[in-house]
Every structure is written in C-alpha cells, then in structure tokens.
Amino acid sequence: MNIKIVCVGKLKEKYFKDGIAEYAKRMTRFAKVKIVEVADEKAPESLSPAQEEQVKETEGQRILSKIKDKEYVYVLAIKGKERTSEEFAKEIQDLGTYGHSDVTFVIGGSLGTSPAVNQRADQLISFGKFTLPHQLMRLVLIEQIYRAFMINSGSPYHK
C-alpha cells in the first residue's frame, strides 16, 4: 500500500519531525509512506470571510495538484466522521482488499480546507472536536495509520 500525507505548511519543530520519522520508519514493513508539504498562504488574524475563502481556495489548489485521480482520499475535517482505531483499521484493510492501494490523507491549513478539496475527498475524517496544531496533527495521524496496520497484523501494540 502507498500512503501519502499532503499537508499545508512546513514542519519546523525537530521533535515533531523525529516522531513522524519514527512512525514512517516503523510503517515500512506495511506501506510506502510519503509526506508532501504545500506552501501555506499568509493569513493575518483580521481576514474578511471573502479573504479567508481565497486563502482556502489557493491552498486547496496546491493540495489538489498533489492528488492523482486513482488515489483514495481522506480529508481531515472537524465535521468529518469520527472512528475508533479498530474501525479505522478495518477501513484501511478493506481499501487494500478492494483495490485501493494508493491512499492519501489531507491536512489543510489553519483555516481548514476548500470546498473543492472536500468534494475531492472520498471521506472526511475527524479526530474529535478538539482543535490541534497542524504539526501535532501530522504526528497523531501517522501514529493512527501505524496503529491501524498493527491492529490488522494482530500485534499487541494496540493494547
């Protein structure tokens, strides 16, 4: 399986980079992992709603340029469907079983994702109602993907 994580913005903190690299390394026995960063737009605190939409649209075009037609796409969104780790593991397993070997996860910018990105999604996924920094969300996401593979392999990691 090929796992791609498309993220808006650069990862700066070494401890996040190290954690993500560790999980990416652990996943090599299950999948090929690729992390793609796209540039974020400057978004001062005082944007009008129209300016916010423009920022999301510009970031969305960058995101969509990194997604191929054949990829199965999860977009992380507060309004997405929440799952347990076991449910998520079953989804990942089923994707592989039914011919979706290229799975892409999208983490949008600080304002969220554009309507076009959400429409491209095969599924919107939520990790709860908490707001998390995007850098931390990358780490949480890759850990949950790794956990899904470990659950599917029958490993005690999940316990």
Side-chain angles (χ1 to χ4, degrees), residues 123-153:
Q123 293 203 47
L124 298 179
I125 185 171
S126 174
F127 283 76
K129 296 180 191 222
F130 286 114
T131 300
L132 298 174
H134 291 82
Q135 299 89 340
L136 178 58
M137 195 63 239
R138 283 194 213 186
L139 181 59
V140 171
L141 172 62
I142 199 165
E143 189 281 333
Q144 284 297 302
I145 297 168
Y146 173 71
R147 181 177 298 272
F149 282 109
M150 294 303 283
I151 289 169
N152 291 336
S153 72

Side-chain angles (χ1 to χ4, degrees), residues 2-11 20 24 32-40 59-68 71 74 103-109 134 138 141-142 145:
N2 298 305
I3 302 288
K4 180 167 45 175
I5 301 173
V6 179
C7 317
V8 173
K10 293 264 184 220
L11 195 59
I20 291 165
K32 182 179 170 189
V33 178
K34 180 179 182 182
I35 297 176
V36 178
E37 294 180 335
V38 299
D40 58 341
E59 290 175 347
Q61 290 170 3
R62 292 176 187 151
I63 291 167
L64 291 171
S65 75
K66 303 300 181 187
I67 299 172
K68 295 184 174 88
E71 294 171 358
Y74 283 97
V103 180
T104 296
F105 294 86
V106 174
I107 302 174
H134 291 82
R138 283 194 213 186
L141 172 62
I142 199 165
I145 297 168

